[in-house]
Amino acid sequence: MAHKTSTAPAGAAADQPYFDPTPYGNGPDDSVTDTSETAAITHHTLRLNGRTIAYTACAGHLVAVDASSSKPAASIFYVAFTLDGSQPSERPVTFFYNGGPGSSSVFVLLGSFAPRRIKTAMPDFTPPAPYSLEDNTDSLLDRSDLVFINPVGTGYSAAIAPWKNQDFWGVDQDAASLAQFIQRYLTEYDRWNSPKFLYGESYGTARSAVLSYVLHEAGVDLNGITLQSSILDYTQAGNPVGALPTAAADAWYHKKLGVQPAPKQLPAFMTKARAFALGDFMAALGAFPKVPAATLGTLSQYTGIAQQTLMAWNLQIAAGDSQGHTLFLVGLLQDRGLAIGAYDGRVTGVDTGIAAHISPNSGGNDPTMTAVSGVYTTMWNVYLNDELKFTSDSAFTDLNDQAFEHWDFHHTDPTGAQKGIDDQGNVVLYTAGDLAATMSLNVDLKVLSANGYYDFVTPFFQTVLDLQTMPVADAAVRANLATTFYPSGHMVYLDGASRTKLKADVAAMMDKAVANHAAVTRIRALQARKVTAGGAGRK
């Protein structure tokens, strides 16, 4: 097709701008009728690791079909960056997405490992325009081609009539549509034999767990998965044991610890905080209100919160008030009239006057998101229109609250059990079992769990606990899982030093997966057997 990525040197082919006249509604009943696969094609260079590389950017749509009828079901907007002149079978390809649910991929695209990225002042507030983009010296383009996917109802992605957006707003529905998109991409760009990786953030980690198994069942076996800022067990959201080390990290950063002398190194202090959380603190929660004085004293020292306040909170440091504000986040710096960010505890916001009623913990008004939302919105529109040369009359949907509000959390896991909603209608989504199943079936799959110390939304220690209890008994399979930590928040890549380290860790995982030729051969054979047996993998 005309929009396939060129493998010629940059400059050998002219750029192909594209104006998309299709109106993309983001409501639950919206859909489009256009089934064309069109895109803007642009050619670029990037100075990376001491050499200049040429790459092609493709911003446009591919059509995901209904798995049963093979009829067009959804028009998925994506942005792909591919290295010019490479051999598809030898070149890895990584599929990225954010979470929400209801988030486009703009955050991970402009913040992490694409060839261009926004400049921010994290953990400080990024002042208003003019903003700027810069070449990304931490780009993963030296290791893999990069494909950023916008699920239905985000970006410029929409259902194709007679389907509606809401038909794709659910745990299993979403994974099925993204699996269909990935298969379509592999066919369109001749990438079936490429090493394949997933990169999901936040709810995107739950998506990756489910999607990895759906892909396996469709005959698409992966080489690696990166889980950034994970939530794999919703029943543990707000668990004070899992949240305590993050609270201690926040208190350490803001110099509110009662520990003397103050710890000099955060990782070493986090080791102590984890042991305390799983030991004396867990015991105190079970014995409440009979809390040993020594335990209460240590808890106060680690969190910077007064003992009497902790008792009034029933030791529930992750609990919220009647307005939905997390007690710890608004309490730590209350004497300074500040709240700290849930997404990154280093970030502060005014919490006096009217601000106290709208911030923090009210979606985009969280101090962390407020610090970067302006630069993201502005520079994405500039980048897409001016550099990627894709324009549209429709507004780009970066975050879709309607998708979240209508999301179907029912989930049938690989055993056929319901792991999404309980008998009372409560969300109990558990996807670590899906990941465990995929890892057990594809024994060469590498998994990297990347976590920020200052992330109160998906606390790093809770992720550790979730992965420790994940149903993987085979030692060799479990050895394929690595967990890393960074002095950053939920969006690890917004911290410069953390982004550089995370890039190195992801690259090392990819190199290990691809360099093991025996493992790559086994994965390709597993994929070939599944496609041959199932027959429907490449529709």
Side-chain angles (χ1 to χ4, degrees), residues 36-336:
S36 61
E37 295 184 322
T38 51
I41 306 295
T42 52
H43 306 276
H44 312 264
T45 59
L46 172 68
R47 187 74 178 171
L48 193 60
N49 298 327
R51 67 188 183 98
T52 300
I53 61 175
Y55 67 94
T56 299
C58 176
H61 289 85
L62 287 178
V63 171
V65 302
D66 173 65
S68 177
S69 67
S70 290
K71 293 182 179 180
S75 182
I76 306 293
F77 181 75
Y78 70 103
V79 179
F81 303 97
T82 55
L83 186 69
D84 291 347
S86 58
Q87 293 298 319
S89 63
E90 302 300 323
R91 177 74 173 160
V93 57
T94 304
F95 298 94
F96 291 80
Y97 33 77
N98 280 92
S103 175
S104 70
S105 64
V106 64
F107 302 99
V108 67
L109 190 159
L110 280 186
S112 65
F113 305 121
R116 300 273 281 164
R117 67 173 304 276
I118 56 173
K119 295 178 69 173
T120 68
M122 288 292 288
D124 296 322
F125 178 80
T126 302
Y131 303 112
S132 61
L133 285 170
E134 62 184 356
D135 281 349
N136 189 0
T137 56
D138 293 319
S139 177
L140 271 169
L141 197 57
D142 59 342
R143 292 305 202 283
S144 172
D145 291 337
L146 315 172
V147 183
F148 295 85
I149 309 173
N150 298 273
V152 172
T154 73
Y156 292 127
S157 298
I160 296 174
W163 281 271
K164 301 177 180 179
N165 286 345
Q166 189 171 350
D167 295 331
F168 300 90
W169 290 349
V171 176
D172 295 342
Q173 303 93 309
D174 168 79
S177 66
L178 293 197
Q180 287 294 326
F181 168 85
I182 289 173
Q183 291 174 84
R184 178 70 191 119
Y185 185 91
L186 298 178
T187 296
E188 174 63 5
Y189 293 103
D190 190 24
R191 304 305 296 267
W192 277 89
N193 218 22
S194 298
K196 306 170 194 69
F197 297 84
L198 300 181
Y199 191 111
E201 175 184 340
S202 195
Y203 175 82
T205 62
R207 173 182 284 142
S208 287
V210 177
L211 178 57
S212 67
Y213 185 78
V214 173
L215 285 171
H216 169 78
E217 289 297 282
V220 182
D221 280 293
L222 303 165
N223 299 75
I225 301 173
T226 299
L227 306 171
Q228 184 204 303
S229 307
S230 294
I231 180 163
L232 302 177
D233 186 354
Y234 274 58
T235 67
Q236 297 304 309
N239 180 359
V241 173
L244 175 59
T246 296
D250 291 345
W252 177 87
Y253 179 83
H254 292 289
K255 296 180 171 54
K256 298 291 285 186
L257 290 179
V259 179
Q260 297 297 332
K264 294 183 178 180
Q265 301 297 326
L266 181 60
F269 177 48
M270 290 296 92
T271 299
K272 293 182 178 180
R274 288 167 57 168
F276 174 71
L278 208 55
D280 292 346
F281 181 52
M282 180 181 285
L285 287 167
F288 189 86
K290 298 180 180 179
V291 181
T295 300
L296 184 60
T298 300
L299 181 61
S300 178
Q301 290 177 334
Y302 277 20
T303 61
I305 302 297
Q307 294 186 28
Q308 59 269 32
T309 301
L310 291 169
M311 289 297 292
W313 293 355
N314 297 338
L315 308 187
Q316 298 292 325
I317 59 168
D321 61 19
S322 59
Q323 294 180 306
H325 300 162
T326 303
L327 296 172
F328 175 77
L329 300 180
V330 298
L332 181 65
L333 302 181
Q334 190 175 42
D335 58 337
R336 295 167 52 189

Side-chain angles (χ1 to χ4, degrees), residues 399-416:
L399 288 169
N400 190 347
D401 290 339
Q402 295 181 87
F404 183 84
E405 292 168 3
H406 290 86
W407 200 259
D408 177 8
F409 279 94
H410 286 86
H411 169 54
T412 303
D413 82 350
T415 70

Side-chain angles (χ1 to χ4, degrees), residues 197 223-224 444 446 508-517 519-520:
F197 297 84
N223 299 75
D444 295 301
K446 304 298 182 186
M509 181 268 283
M510 288 182 168
D511 290 348
K512 185 175 182 180
V514 174
N516 188 338
H517 298 293
V520 171

Side-chain angles (χ1 to χ4, degrees), residues 432-433 435-437 439-441 443 467-481:
L435 178 64
M439 294 179 68
S440 299
L441 294 167
V443 296
L467 291 174
Q468 285 178 348
T469 57
M470 182 175 67
V472 172
D474 187 278
V477 171
R478 185 164 281 277
N480 287 328
L481 170 67

